[in-house]
Amino acid sequence: MKHGPIALIDEEMPVFVIATKGPNYEKVVSNIQEVKARKGKVIAVVTAGDKEVKEMADYVMEIPETDETLVPLVSVIPLQLLSYHIAVMRGCNVDQPRNLAKSVTVE
């Protein structure tokens, strides 16, 4: 955030944040505050019951509290679903993405 991307944030910019409880939680909360100070829209994936980020974020997707090693696996699920639904809304063919054959057949 500190070396460039933060300069792009304005009221039109959605920022996706994975703000689950863990060793980097306070740094993520600080980044959310920076985004909100620039009027950015925050869409957050949070651990169930997290009130701090819920108050700051514009939209929240909760995941269950789980072992720290499984958090990446659990937190990617709502993001994949969100990506799928956005692609469908945009009219993209989600069953045959562009350039799939190129990436699969190249050795």
Side-chain angles (χ1 to χ4, degrees):
M1 288 289 288
K2 302 297 181 203
H3 300 291
I6 202 162
L8 300 173
I9 297 171
D10 61 13
E11 60 276 347
E12 301 284 320
M13 175 66 69
V15 178
F16 292 83
V17 178
I18 298 175
T20 54
K21 296 289 183 178
N24 294 320
Y25 181 77
E26 294 304 321
K27 289 181 182 180
V28 173
V29 169
S30 173
N31 283 332
I32 292 171
Q33 291 168 342
E34 293 286 337
V35 170
K36 295 308 291 181
R38 289 159 177 76
K39 297 183 177 31
K41 302 287 184 214
V42 175
I43 300 115
V45 175
V46 301
T47 306
D50 184 334
K51 291 180 175 36
E52 185 176 3
V53 173
K54 251 188 190 177
E55 291 176 7
M56 290 187 283
D58 297 289
Y59 304 96
V60 173
M61 296 176 275
E62 287 188 346
I63 61 169
E65 191 168 336
T66 186
D67 185 75
E68 189 176 332
T69 58
L70 296 175
V71 169
L73 179 65
V74 176
S75 63
V76 78
I77 295 169
L79 296 174
Q80 286 286 343
L81 288 169
L82 179 65
S83 298
Y84 168 81
H85 289 290
I86 289 172
V88 169
M89 284 175 46
R90 292 183 61 212
C92 298
N93 185 346
V94 293
D95 293 322
Q96 292 187 338
R98 286 187 340 215
N99 302 323
L100 180 63
K102 292 178 187 175
S103 63
V104 172
T105 58
V106 175
E107 291 183 28

